[in-house]
Structure formats: C-alpha cells, structure tokens
Amino acid sequence: MSTDDHGVDSAPVNEVATGIPPVLDPAHVGDIRGALGTIRQHDMPPRRPRRRQLLALLAIMGPGLIVMVGDNDAGGVSTYTQAGQNFGTSLLWTLLLLVPVVIVNQEMVVRLGAVTGVGHARLIFERFGRFWGLFSVGDLFILNFLTIVTEFIGVDLSLGYLGVSKYISVPLAAVLLVAMTATGSFQRWERFMYAFIVGNFLVIPLIVYAHPHGGSIAHDFVVPHVTGGVNSTAVLLIIAIVGTTVAPWQLFFQQSNIIDKRITPRWINYERADTVIGSIVVVVGAAALMIASASAFHSTALFGHFTDARGVAVGLDHYLGRAAATIFAVILLNASIIGAAAVTLSTSYAFGDSFGTSHSLHRSWKDEKFFYGTFAGLVALAAGIVLIPGAPLGLVTTSVQALAGVLLPSATAFLVMLCNDHHVLGPWVNKPWLNAVATLIVGTLLMLSGILVVTTIFPHINVTILLIALGSVFALAVTGMGVASLRSGRSKAPTPVYRVPREMWTMPPLALLEKPEWSRGRKLGMTAMRGYLMVAVLLLLVKAIQLGLGK
C-alpha cells in the first residue's frame, strides 16, 4: 500500500456500486422525507425537467439551510449588532469573505455524509484513533454545552425585555425544544425548524424601521476598512465574527443530519445547492442585523457603547420605537431557539457515534431513549444554569469564544484530512485546488485561534503587532508547505482507478477499511497540534479559574 503527497494512503480499486452508503443504523435507509417533499428510495436522477429538479431540491433542502441559519444564534445576533453599534457598517466586508469559507467547509461535510453514511465523530475515531476521537468529542461536548447555555441566556434577554421572568421563559423554551425534537418523525422535526427559519426573515422589517443608506452599505461590503482605524478591539470583534459564523458544531451536525435524512451520493449536487442557499441566507441575515444596528445608533449617544442584546433592544426602543425593539427581541428569541436545537442535536448525534448507539429522528422516544435522553439532559442542565441566581454567565460567554477558537482549526484540519482519504471518499476526495483553498482556510483559522487564545490569556497585549507576527509566521509556513508539496509531487502515487460510476461509489463498511499510513509530515503536524491544543486548553482553564475567583 502506498501513500500520496498528503500522507494519506491510496486505496485499491473499489467496486461498491450500491449507491447507498453502508450506514450503521437501519433507520438511515429509506425514502427521503423532507419538510417540503418526499423522494422515494429508488428514485434516480437526472431529473431533466426543471419542475422535477425544483421538487427534488425542495425535498432535499434542510440540513444545509438549518445548519447555516442555526449559526445565526443568540451569540451571532449579539456579535453582529455589536459590530454595527460600535463600528457602523465598516465590518460588512468580513461577512462577504466568510461566504466561500463556510461553503468550502460545509461542502466537504456534504460529501462525507452522503458517501460514507457515518457520522463525523465516528470517522475521527476510526481514522485518527481513540485519543483524537475522545479529544474531539470531549471538546465538542464542552463547547456545545456552553453554547447551549448562551442560547438560554438569549431567551432570558429577549423575553426579559418583553417583561417575562426567566423563571417562566427559560423552562418553557426547554420544554419546547425537547417536545419538537422527540416527535419520532424526521419530517415533523424539519418542519418545526423551517418555522424558525421563516422567523429569521424578521430582519427585513427591522431594516425598514432603521432606514439605512444604500451607498455606504455597498461600499463597506467590498472595501475592507474599520471605522476609527484598526485596533485591538476591532481585531477581536472580527475574530468573534469569524468564530460565530464558522463553528465546529456545524461539521458534526450537518454530516449526521444528511445521513439521518437518508441523502445518498446521487443527491449530492442538490445538497450542495442547499448548503449554498443556506450560506447566502445566513450572510444576508447577519448583514441585516449589522446594518440595522449601525443605522439605528449612528450619530447617537449609544454609538460605540455596546453592552448586550438587551441593551440593543432598549436602544432601538429609544431611537426607532417600541415596534422595532419588539421585532429585535423576537429575532433574538427565534435565533436562540433554533441555535439551541441545532447545537444540542449535534451533540446527541456525536454521542451516538461515539458510543455506538442508535441515533435517529425517525424513531420515537421509546426506541431512542439514549439519543433523546442525552438531548433532554443537555437542555435541562443548560437551562438550569441560567436560572441559578448570580451564575457567572458573562464568564460562560467568554469561555465559549475562547474554546471555539481553540477547537475550530483542529476540527477543520480533521475535515480536510478525511476528505483526502481515498479509503473513505474514493473518487470523491478533494481536488488539488480545493486542498489549496482548504489549507489557506485552516492556516487562517489557526492564526485567528492563536490571537484569540493569546489575548484571552494576556488581555493587554498589542493585538495589531500580534496579528502581524502571526501573519508572517503563517506566510512562511504556507511557503514551506508549497515547496514540500512540489517536491513530493514528483514521486506522487498514481490515482486509484474505480470501476463504478462516481455517483454510485460509496465507502465500504468500516470494518473492511485498511488503517491509514501516516507520513512523517502528518505525524509531526499532529504532534504539534496536540501540543498546541493541550497548552492552549490548560491556559484557558487557568484563566477561567482566575476570572471566576475575580482575579
């Protein structure tokens, strides 16, 4: 067996031609029953009439749209409105740059889900070993749990503005989340999610109330700059925008949700379209919040003085009227619910992968006690923390951002390596140009992660100088990797030949896969990543303890 220039073993000829991935759960095989239509299991593309193509897209749409809109959660609403209130529309360009990042990341997830029939967590365990599997799932659990807590903080802030006590709003939200998830019907759950997706479009009337100026908005979308100049506060907010738009839970959620929806390789192009549509929707929603906040607070006493989402609602009430503030509160509530639903479900999916238990929305509570029990337990515990008087909720929010910054680069690195594994994806592995783009994305995320970690530990450090230093190191590293790639390319192993159509190729059963042989470069890279992650997590833990003790 040979290895290619990425340190991934090349696979022998594979003649699996079922078109159905070797799923581990029988519930993941059958008709695709989406919120907007049904596709029979043996229905085969191509669908030449445009009407049939549209009907197929409507039936398949869901995983990409939900994962993207779910990313505009309570933390996202807070971050985008903070950007608008403190920097006007000058940071809109960051959203435009994030569109290809999100699409590239999630498109790789689409292929992994449809071709393998195996969840992201299970693949990491099988291809990278027990240590990385436990690390990925453990970190995901901590990060997701803290994120769910922030979603209930969003529920409290939104309904608290409307005069509802958190001792009523938070428990009701928790019950709603469990009730709409544990219905025993994937189609019914997805329809619930679509109702919240529709609620996302309340940003349109909010913009109408704000009366934005079109000329400056168009300019700020395409011309990178920062109102007041680049400083540490602006850099950290940009990092927060990246962190809230590209999150690790998205990888685990969409891959498992694609499998649960029974999407197979022959429908990949439709799911890619679903992901692109979701990316556009999430960026439009984020931009609308930033624009509305910028327009509402421009040239007012509150410009540059963001506090929290409730402060935004109060400010909108003062400058735009009660109706605009109420719309914003509903947007925040809607974002908190859909965010909590998606993030909690991604955790339950990952636990099912890790422990080898069944995990499907197609089954009832009676048949999926562990799956739904995990979901309900996470929701109840997170809601309970928000209800504790004097709980350090601000510390939770800070920890979420910092831990996300640590986990995201490693999660994306695993994603890229899996998508270069010929045993896993066969003819669906990444193209060279996609690897180049993905490497750039991973490097940039690692650089931003480093900035976030360093500034969390040392809050008074000069972020601009740190950015220049890490950027220089990143540029040198990319150059070195390019040279090494060119050298190794001369002795590159031949591309495996597959005797079945690409649309019919699926991953063989996991038990039949040969273990990957790691190149020296990969071993060195993984060792370095392990060291960075261990040190970074330890330092963040120390910092969290210090903050908790008031030091």
Side-chain angles (χ1 to χ4, degrees), residues 71-73 75-85 95 98 237 240-241 244-245 282 285-287 289-291 293:
D71 201 40
N72 270 0
D73 60 355
V77 171
S78 179
T79 300
Y80 302 136
T81 52
Q82 179 181 359
Q85 184 171 346
L95 299 176
L98 284 173
L237 185 57
I241 291 173
T244 196
T245 308
V282 73
L289 287 168
M290 197 180 294
I291 292 168
S293 178

PDB file of all heavy atoms in Angstrom, residues 71-73 75-85 95 98 237 240-241 244-245 282 285-287 289-291 293:
ATOM      1  N   ASP A  71     -26.636  28.891  12.788  1.00  0.00           N
ATOM      2  CA  ASP A  71     -25.401  29.582  13.163  1.00  0.00           C
ATOM      3  C   ASP A  71     -25.660  31.045  13.512  1.00  0.00           C
ATOM      4  O   ASP A  71     -24.854  31.663  14.201  1.00  0.00           O
ATOM      5  CB  ASP A  71     -24.398  29.494  12.006  1.00  0.00           C
ATOM      6  CG  ASP A  71     -22.978  29.713  12.466  1.00  0.00           C
ATOM      7  OD1 ASP A  71     -22.625  29.209  13.547  1.00  0.00           O
ATOM      8  OD2 ASP A  71     -22.222  30.388  11.761  1.00  0.00           O
ATOM      9  N   ASN A  72     -26.755  31.614  13.033  1.00  0.00           N
ATOM     10  CA  ASN A  72     -27.165  32.963  13.451  1.00  0.00           C
ATOM     11  C   ASN A  72     -27.944  32.839  14.760  1.00  0.00           C
ATOM     12  O   ASN A  72     -29.122  33.177  14.841  1.00  0.00           O
ATOM     13  CB  ASN A  72     -28.033  33.622  12.369  1.00  0.00           C
ATOM     14  CG  ASN A  72     -27.199  34.401  11.381  1.00  0.00           C
ATOM     15  OD1 ASN A  72     -25.984  34.455  11.480  1.00  0.00           O
ATOM     16  ND2 ASN A  72     -27.843  35.001  10.395  1.00  0.00           N
ATOM     17  N   ASP A  73     -27.266  32.345  15.784  1.00  0.00           N
ATOM     18  CA  ASP A  73     -27.916  32.083  17.058  1.00  0.00           C
ATOM     19  C   ASP A  73     -27.825  33.307  17.963  1.00  0.00           C
ATOM     20  O   ASP A  73     -27.542  34.415  17.499  1.00  0.00           O
ATOM     21  CB  ASP A  73     -27.292  30.853  17.722  1.00  0.00           C
ATOM     22  CG  ASP A  73     -25.791  31.049  17.986  1.00  0.00           C
ATOM     23  OD1 ASP A  73     -25.227  32.077  17.570  1.00  0.00           O
ATOM     24  OD2 ASP A  73     -25.197  30.155  18.611  1.00  0.00           O
ATOM     25  N   GLY A  75     -25.584  34.142  20.168  1.00  0.00           N
ATOM     26  CA  GLY A  75     -24.253  34.742  20.111  1.00  0.00           C
ATOM     27  C   GLY A  75     -24.020  35.497  18.827  1.00  0.00           C
ATOM     28  O   GLY A  75     -23.374  36.554  18.810  1.00  0.00           O
ATOM     29  N   GLY A  76     -24.544  34.962  17.716  1.00  0.00           N
ATOM     30  CA  GLY A  76     -24.410  35.650  16.440  1.00  0.00           C
ATOM     31  C   GLY A  76     -25.147  36.968  16.408  1.00  0.00           C
ATOM     32  O   GLY A  76     -24.606  37.991  15.957  1.00  0.00           O
ATOM     33  N   VAL A  77     -26.390  36.969  16.890  1.00  0.00           N
ATOM     34  CA  VAL A  77     -27.171  38.209  16.941  1.00  0.00           C
ATOM     35  C   VAL A  77     -26.440  39.257  17.762  1.00  0.00           C
ATOM     36  O   VAL A  77     -26.340  40.433  17.380  1.00  0.00           O
ATOM     37  CB  VAL A  77     -28.579  37.937  17.527  1.00  0.00           C
ATOM     38  CG1 VAL A  77     -29.309  39.254  17.792  1.00  0.00           C
ATOM     39  CG2 VAL A  77     -29.388  37.072  16.570  1.00  0.00           C
ATOM     40  N   SER A  78     -25.903  38.846  18.900  1.00  0.00           N
ATOM     41  CA  SER A  78     -25.180  39.774  19.762  1.00  0.00           C
ATOM     42  C   SER A  78     -23.933  40.313  19.074  1.00  0.00           C
ATOM     43  O   SER A  78     -23.652  41.517  19.119  1.00  0.00           O
ATOM     44  CB  SER A  78     -24.803  39.069  21.067  1.00  0.00           C
ATOM     45  OG  SER A  78     -24.071  39.930  21.916  1.00  0.00           O
ATOM     46  N   THR A  79     -23.176  39.429  18.421  1.00  0.00           N
ATOM     47  CA  THR A  79     -21.931  39.844  17.768  1.00  0.00           C
ATOM     48  C   THR A  79     -22.184  40.791  16.606  1.00  0.00           C
ATOM     49  O   THR A  79     -21.497  41.808  16.444  1.00  0.00           O
ATOM     50  CB  THR A  79     -21.163  38.607  17.270  1.00  0.00           C
ATOM     51  OG1 THR A  79     -20.863  37.760  18.387  1.00  0.00           O
ATOM     52  CG2 THR A  79     -19.858  39.010  16.590  1.00  0.00           C
ATOM     53  N   TYR A  80     -23.162  40.474  15.774  1.00  0.00           N
ATOM     54  CA  TYR A  80     -23.432  41.309  14.596  1.00  0.00           C
ATOM     55  C   TYR A  80     -23.966  42.686  14.997  1.00  0.00           C
ATOM     56  O   TYR A  80     -23.602  43.703  14.396  1.00  0.00           O
ATOM     57  CB  TYR A  80     -24.423  40.602  13.657  1.00  0.00           C
ATOM     58  CG  TYR A  80     -23.946  39.253  13.189  1.00  0.00           C
ATOM     59  CD1 TYR A  80     -24.808  38.155  13.166  1.00  0.00           C
ATOM     60  CD2 TYR A  80     -22.626  39.049  12.783  1.00  0.00           C
ATOM     61  CE1 TYR A  80     -24.384  36.905  12.748  1.00  0.00           C
ATOM     62  CE2 TYR A  80     -22.186  37.804  12.360  1.00  0.00           C
ATOM     63  CZ  TYR A  80     -23.068  36.734  12.347  1.00  0.00           C
ATOM     64  OH  TYR A  80     -22.634  35.492  11.949  1.00  0.00           O
ATOM     65  N   THR A  81     -24.834  42.715  16.006  1.00  0.00           N
ATOM     66  CA  THR A  81     -25.343  44.023  16.434  1.00  0.00           C
ATOM     67  C   THR A  81     -24.258  44.826  17.145  1.00  0.00           C
ATOM     68  O   THR A  81     -24.230  46.059  17.051  1.00  0.00           O
ATOM     69  CB  THR A  81     -26.568  43.858  17.365  1.00  0.00           C
ATOM     70  OG1 THR A  81     -26.248  42.947  18.424  1.00  0.00           O
ATOM     71  CG2 THR A  81     -27.768  43.338  16.583  1.00  0.00           C
ATOM     72  N   GLN A  82     -23.359  44.135  17.834  1.00  0.00           N
ATOM     73  CA  GLN A  82     -22.219  44.834  18.450  1.00  0.00           C
ATOM     74  C   GLN A  82     -21.346  45.481  17.372  1.00  0.00           C
ATOM     75  O   GLN A  82     -20.906  46.626  17.518  1.00  0.00           O
ATOM     76  CB  GLN A  82     -21.379  43.866  19.275  1.00  0.00           C
ATOM     77  CG  GLN A  82     -20.164  44.534  19.923  1.00  0.00           C
ATOM     78  CD  GLN A  82     -19.322  43.557  20.719  1.00  0.00           C
ATOM     79  OE1 GLN A  82     -19.640  42.375  20.803  1.00  0.00           O
ATOM     80  NE2 GLN A  82     -18.242  44.028  21.300  1.00  0.00           N
ATOM     81  N   ALA A  83     -21.109  44.746  16.283  1.00  0.00           N
ATOM     82  CA  ALA A  83     -20.313  45.299  15.185  1.00  0.00           C
ATOM     83  C   ALA A  83     -20.972  46.539  14.611  1.00  0.00           C
ATOM     84  O   ALA A  83     -20.309  47.549  14.335  1.00  0.00           O
ATOM     85  CB  ALA A  83     -20.123  44.239  14.097  1.00  0.00           C
ATOM     86  N   GLY A  84     -22.289  46.494  14.422  1.00  0.00           N
ATOM     87  CA  GLY A  84     -22.995  47.638  13.870  1.00  0.00           C
ATOM     88  C   GLY A  84     -23.026  48.820  14.815  1.00  0.00           C
ATOM     89  O   GLY A  84     -22.832  49.971  14.395  1.00  0.00           O
ATOM     90  N   GLN A  85     -23.273  48.543  16.102  1.00  0.00           N
ATOM     91  CA  GLN A  85     -23.367  49.632  17.071  1.00  0.00           C
ATOM     92  C   GLN A  85     -22.012  50.298  17.317  1.00  0.00           C
ATOM     93  O   GLN A  85     -21.943  51.515  17.513  1.00  0.00           O
ATOM     94  CB  GLN A  85     -23.929  49.114  18.396  1.00  0.00           C
ATOM     95  CG  GLN A  85     -24.140  50.210  19.440  1.00  0.00           C
ATOM     96  CD  GLN A  85     -24.899  49.712  20.657  1.00  0.00           C
ATOM     97  OE1 GLN A  85     -25.487  48.639  20.645  1.00  0.00           O
ATOM     98  NE2 GLN A  85     -24.898  50.492  21.730  1.00  0.00           N
ATOM     99  N   LEU A  95     -18.189  39.605   6.373  1.00  0.00           N
ATOM    100  CA  LEU A  95     -19.240  38.634   6.056  1.00  0.00           C
ATOM    101  C   LEU A  95     -19.100  38.123   4.637  1.00  0.00           C
ATOM    102  O   LEU A  95     -19.285  36.930   4.365  1.00  0.00           O
ATOM    103  CB  LEU A  95     -20.613  39.260   6.270  1.00  0.00           C
ATOM    104  CG  LEU A  95     -20.929  39.737   7.697  1.00  0.00           C
ATOM    105  CD1 LEU A  95     -22.286  40.416   7.741  1.00  0.00           C
ATOM    106  CD2 LEU A  95     -20.881  38.568   8.671  1.00  0.00           C
ATOM    107  N   LEU A  98     -16.423  35.586   4.384  1.00  0.00           N
ATOM    108  CA  LEU A  98     -16.723  34.327   5.064  1.00  0.00           C
ATOM    109  C   LEU A  98     -17.609  33.397   4.234  1.00  0.00           C
ATOM    110  O   LEU A  98     -17.681  32.204   4.514  1.00  0.00           O
ATOM    111  CB  LEU A  98     -17.394  34.605   6.406  1.00  0.00           C
ATOM    112  CG  LEU A  98     -16.466  35.095   7.521  1.00  0.00           C
ATOM    113  CD1 LEU A  98     -17.267  35.494   8.747  1.00  0.00           C
ATOM    114  CD2 LEU A  98     -15.438  34.028   7.879  1.00  0.00           C
ATOM    115  N   LEU A 237     -13.143  41.770  17.626  1.00  0.00           N
ATOM    116  CA  LEU A 237     -14.516  41.654  17.150  1.00  0.00           C
ATOM    117  C   LEU A 237     -14.563  40.924  15.810  1.00  0.00           C
ATOM    118  O   LEU A 237     -15.470  40.118  15.560  1.00  0.00           O
ATOM    119  CB  LEU A 237     -15.162  43.039  17.026  1.00  0.00           C
ATOM    120  CG  LEU A 237     -16.648  43.048  16.637  1.00  0.00           C
ATOM    121  CD1 LEU A 237     -17.469  42.223  17.631  1.00  0.00           C
ATOM    122  CD2 LEU A 237     -17.175  44.470  16.577  1.00  0.00           C
ATOM    123  N   ALA A 240     -14.361  37.410  16.559  1.00  0.00           N
ATOM    124  CA  ALA A 240     -15.656  36.943  17.072  1.00  0.00           C
ATOM    125  C   ALA A 240     -16.640  36.699  15.933  1.00  0.00           C
ATOM    126  O   ALA A 240     -17.416  35.737  15.967  1.00  0.00           O
ATOM    127  CB  ALA A 240     -16.225  37.966  18.052  1.00  0.00           C
ATOM    128  N   ILE A 241     -16.612  37.564  14.912  1.00  0.00           N
ATOM    129  CA  ILE A 241     -17.495  37.380  13.755  1.00  0.00           C
ATOM    130  C   ILE A 241     -17.156  36.081  13.043  1.00  0.00           C
ATOM    131  O   ILE A 241     -18.038  35.306  12.656  1.00  0.00           O
ATOM    132  CB  ILE A 241     -17.372  38.573  12.788  1.00  0.00           C
ATOM    133  CG1 ILE A 241     -17.964  39.836  13.429  1.00  0.00           C
ATOM    134  CG2 ILE A 241     -18.092  38.275  11.463  1.00  0.00           C
ATOM    135  CD1 ILE A 241     -17.733  41.101  12.627  1.00  0.00           C
ATOM    136  N   THR A 244     -18.287  33.089  15.264  1.00  0.00           N
ATOM    137  CA  THR A 244     -19.730  32.857  15.363  1.00  0.00           C
ATOM    138  C   THR A 244     -20.337  32.432  14.029  1.00  0.00           C
ATOM    139  O   THR A 244     -21.450  31.929  13.983  1.00  0.00           O
ATOM    140  CB  THR A 244     -20.459  34.123  15.877  1.00  0.00           C
ATOM    141  OG1 THR A 244     -21.767  33.778  16.311  1.00  0.00           O
ATOM    142  CG2 THR A 244     -20.554  35.193  14.805  1.00  0.00           C
ATOM    143  N   THR A 245     -19.598  32.635  12.918  1.00  0.00           N
ATOM    144  CA  THR A 245     -20.091  32.257  11.587  1.00  0.00           C
ATOM    145  C   THR A 245     -19.585  30.888  11.173  1.00  0.00           C
ATOM    146  O   THR A 245     -20.267  30.155  10.451  1.00  0.00           O
ATOM    147  CB  THR A 245     -19.657  33.307  10.542  1.00  0.00           C
ATOM    148  OG1 THR A 245     -20.044  34.612  11.008  1.00  0.00           O
ATOM    149  CG2 THR A 245     -20.319  33.053   9.200  1.00  0.00           C
ATOM    150  N   VAL A 282     -27.695  32.996   5.659  1.00  0.00           N
ATOM    151  CA  VAL A 282     -27.070  33.364   6.932  1.00  0.00           C
ATOM    152  C   VAL A 282     -26.308  34.676   6.809  1.00  0.00           C
ATOM    153  O   VAL A 282     -26.329  35.514   7.725  1.00  0.00           O
ATOM    154  CB  VAL A 282     -26.140  32.236   7.439  1.00  0.00           C
ATOM    155  CG1 VAL A 282     -24.869  32.140   6.629  1.00  0.00           C
ATOM    156  CG2 VAL A 282     -25.795  32.456   8.904  1.00  0.00           C
ATOM    157  N   GLY A 285     -28.840  37.556   6.657  1.00  0.00           N
ATOM    158  CA  GLY A 285     -29.368  37.820   7.998  1.00  0.00           C
ATOM    159  C   GLY A 285     -28.366  38.538   8.883  1.00  0.00           C
ATOM    160  O   GLY A 285     -28.713  39.490   9.588  1.00  0.00           O
ATOM    161  N   ALA A 286     -27.107  38.099   8.836  1.00  0.00           N
ATOM    162  CA  ALA A 286     -26.061  38.743   9.637  1.00  0.00           C
ATOM    163  C   ALA A 286     -25.846  40.182   9.194  1.00  0.00           C
ATOM    164  O   ALA A 286     -25.723  41.098  10.021  1.00  0.00           O
ATOM    165  CB  ALA A 286     -24.760  37.953   9.514  1.00  0.00           C
ATOM    166  N   ALA A 287     -25.793  40.384   7.886  1.00  0.00           N
ATOM    167  CA  ALA A 287     -25.593  41.738   7.356  1.00  0.00           C
ATOM    168  C   ALA A 287     -26.759  42.642   7.732  1.00  0.00           C
ATOM    169  O   ALA A 287     -26.568  43.818   8.073  1.00  0.00           O
ATOM    170  CB  ALA A 287     -25.424  41.684   5.835  1.00  0.00           C
ATOM    171  N   LEU A 289     -28.680  42.486  10.375  1.00  0.00           N
ATOM    172  CA  LEU A 289     -28.568  42.873  11.783  1.00  0.00           C
ATOM    173  C   LEU A 289     -27.501  43.943  11.974  1.00  0.00           C
ATOM    174  O   LEU A 289     -27.696  44.909  12.720  1.00  0.00           O
ATOM    175  CB  LEU A 289     -28.229  41.644  12.632  1.00  0.00           C
ATOM    176  CG  LEU A 289     -29.361  40.636  12.833  1.00  0.00           C
ATOM    177  CD1 LEU A 289     -28.828  39.340  13.426  1.00  0.00           C
ATOM    178  CD2 LEU A 289     -30.450  41.214  13.724  1.00  0.00           C
ATOM    179  N   MET A 290     -26.372  43.783  11.288  1.00  0.00           N
ATOM    180  CA  MET A 290     -25.297  44.760  11.402  1.00  0.00           C
ATOM    181  C   MET A 290     -25.735  46.110  10.847  1.00  0.00           C
ATOM    182  O   MET A 290     -25.478  47.163  11.441  1.00  0.00           O
ATOM    183  CB  MET A 290     -24.057  44.256  10.646  1.00  0.00           C
ATOM    184  CG  MET A 290     -22.771  44.971  11.018  1.00  0.00           C
ATOM    185  SD  MET A 290     -21.321  44.352  10.101  1.00  0.00           S
ATOM    186  CE  MET A 290     -21.203  42.683  10.742  1.00  0.00           C
ATOM    187  N   ILE A 291     -26.425  46.085   9.715  1.00  0.00           N
ATOM    188  CA  ILE A 291     -26.876  47.321   9.066  1.00  0.00           C
ATOM    189  C   ILE A 291     -27.931  48.025   9.914  1.00  0.00           C
ATOM    190  O   ILE A 291     -27.890  49.248  10.109  1.00  0.00           O
ATOM    191  CB  ILE A 291     -27.432  47.013   7.664  1.00  0.00           C
ATOM    192  CG1 ILE A 291     -26.296  46.552   6.736  1.00  0.00           C
ATOM    193  CG2 ILE A 291     -28.141  48.229   7.072  1.00  0.00           C
ATOM    194  CD1 ILE A 291     -26.787  45.946   5.433  1.00  0.00           C
ATOM    195  N   SER A 293     -28.452  47.796  13.156  1.00  0.00           N
ATOM    196  CA  SER A 293     -27.837  48.339  14.363  1.00  0.00           C
ATOM    197  C   SER A 293     -27.015  49.583  14.044  1.00  0.00           C
ATOM    198  O   SER A 293     -27.078  50.587  14.763  1.00  0.00           O
ATOM    199  CB  SER A 293     -26.941  47.273  15.005  1.00  0.00           C
ATOM    200  OG  SER A 293     -26.297  47.764  16.144  1.00  0.00           O
TER     201      SER A 293
END
